[in-house]
Amino acid sequence: MNSQPISPQAPSPTGPAQLGVDAVRARLRKRNAAARRFRLLCQAAVACSLGFLFLLLATLCLRGYQGFFQTLIEVDIFFDPQVLDPDGSGDAEVLASANYGSLIRSSLQEILPDTEGRRARRALGELVSLGAAYELQNRVAADPALVGTTQALSLVASDEVDLLIKGELSREVEESERRLSDLQIAWVDALDAQGRVRTRLSRYFFTSGDSREPEMAGVWGAVVGSAYTMLITLLLSFPLGVATAVYLEEFAGKNRWTDLIEININNLAAVPSIVYGLLGLALFLNVFGLPRSAPLVGGLVLTLMTLPIIIIASRAALRAVPPSIREAAYGLGASPMQALVHHILPLALPGMLTGTIIGMARALGETAPLLMIGMVAFIVDVPQGPLDPATVLPVQVYLWADSPERAFEAKTSAAILVLLTFLILMNTLAVALRKKAERRW
Amino acid sequence: MSQSTEAAALSSLSVPFRPGGVADGSASLAMSEDIARATQPQIENSVLEARDFCLWYGEKQALKNISMEVPEKQITAFIGPSGCGKSTLLRSINRLNDLVPSVRVDGDILFEGESVFGAEVDTNLLRKRVGMVFQKSNPFPKSIYENVAYGCRIQGISHRTELDEIVERSLRSSALWDEVKDRLDDVATGLSGGQQQRLCIARAIAVEPEVILFDEPCSALDPIATAKIEELMKELRHQYTQVIVTHNMQQASRISDFTAFLYLGELIEYGPTKSVFINPIRQQTEDYITGRFG
């Protein structure tokens, strides 16, 4: 500060040259230029992050969209009673254990050339997925009257054929280096020429669980597992987190204990997530004996991880409620609980929701703690409840990325797209909820 | 913080008078008589009474041995420079200072003969009986209707026709009814500053308090809105005991029946407004009123 009192008189126009209008104007140009540069820099930062985001999404979409589709081969299958039920017993067990792959091979044999001999027959069988035989079996189990009839069916092609049709498999490679022989490629081309090859949105990808066969593998099991896990996390962490925040902000006095609690909560928010997984393994699995790989345990572990985030966000939201509102409520004779429930909580709710959604979004994308409690297992069945073994979307991505089959590459990207879709949906929901809660006031 | 620095700046001013600070025996006796004459007017039907009331914020003493009585169904004004403790005194009456963690009190404040600090006192009931209007208008971010009805709702009144009646009566008494009767469901924060403050008054009188405390109710308002609030306070004079804290001495002289001048946490002078403004007993009061400091 200037120690001399500022003269109340207007400065004379012939004052110091430093503050003359021309000198100021000259500097003004530099100042404005600096402001423009700064603005440009900020815009460049935004453009840079947007560019990376676009790059990520574009790569994922380019690689992943094929994962949503699957190649089908249309064939007429004759449900040969000689193969399925030689004795004509009609027994369900006999039908279930019959050789359906043989039916498929026979049908293909009729429409394709050069299919004599055992080796050729085996090579023919490799054109369609192992799952196709199961599908035939399921059809017969559902309707035994099919035996003896001929049906036009679309069979799921094997992953290699799928890749070939999608153009992912190079034909130039030496025959010994590829998984499909020249003969098999010729067959696929012949089928294609007959118009029997179609590419469709994959039913399996959206409705089934994991599989060793890429063409049969789906994300539905992981989606359901994620849903159960998130549900449990939300049900536990939101009430616990909000109640803790309310207690610490509104009721607890300021003393050494609350200081200790506060420091610990802040520290917990920074603990690496795998540590929570180890804690879950030691506590929930070993001490409480809860089932391994279950969404219940996953939800509990993610609750531990999400709680600090929700508590910190909720406390900030409570602190942001203007004290005048509190005073107004108390001034009318409202009890602390009435002031809290009628005024403070509704005003803090948008902030609390934001914190919760951020925590949930982090939990949805979390892999490490779930590895520790066995949610990384290969699980084919779609979980029916929170106690069934399950996996979650990010773990599914991790599992597929780790698989040797090339066809899983597209599936991995597709699964990431599904995960991102859910994240975007959750964030949109959060924004909508917040807007709604804010508009009420 | 700004209050304490202002107070410090004020204390550095050369104010010759120091109540009770003189060691000489006879002089101090004369002085205490003088104080008694300046701060103990004849009051009939006192509703509120402070007895040697002291208050500390942590280590800092904000109020020093305040003893005074507030008359029933009159307007009492607290005046004084910033940081002199007038708002603190006001907020002690309905114990809103309880919300500040480091507050400690000594002495007593009586409301209708009973201590407001007694162990058996329920602050919720106390605050229902002693309503408050704040410096910054603070309507709840709800509808106009809900703002006025809220005080009754927390008391358990939820019958719609009953509430309608209370809302209309309160809004009429606060001279707001004609302006808002067609938009009771609009959000209260959309009203103008003056309307919001009158809404806060309506909200306060809806629960039928006995005393209304005004904490600088006009400091954020333009002259026209201020005039409306003053008019309103005059109209409510015969129904409620009103206590107003104000920076504006003209306001105090316009509307109040009694005026208390506080300075640095002490009650310097208290008496009928006319005599305080026209014929102040103490030099300090005169200096303040004539604008020589503060």
Side-chain angles (χ1 to χ4, degrees), chain A residues 254 322-336 338-343 346-347 439-441, chain B residues 91 94 96 99 123-124 127-128 130-132 134 136 138-142 147 150-151 154-155 187 203-204 207:
Chain A
K254 194 105 176 91
S324 64
I325 294 293
R326 214 172 293 241
E327 287 180 341
Y330 285 133
L332 282 172
S335 68
Q338 285 171 326
L340 187 74
V341 173
H342 296 156
H343 301 291
L347 285 176
R439 212 180 303 139
R440 244 188 21 217
W441 299 100
Chain B
R91 289 160 152 280
N94 66 351
L96 215 54
L99 299 184
T123 51
N124 301 334
R127 289 169 190 156
K128 184 252 158 210
V130 182
M132 186 153 192
F134 296 85
K136 196 173 155 281
N138 54 356
F140 300 121
K142 299 189 177 198
N147 261 282
Y150 181 68
I154 56 177
Q155 305 298 340
V187 172
R203 183 175 68 186
V207 291

Side-chain angles (χ1 to χ4, degrees), chain B residues 100-114:
Chain B
V100 185
S102 61
V103 160
R104 192 161 54 84
V105 296
D106 193 24
D108 211 346
I109 293 179
L110 307 180
F111 172 46
E112 299 198 326
E114 283 175 39

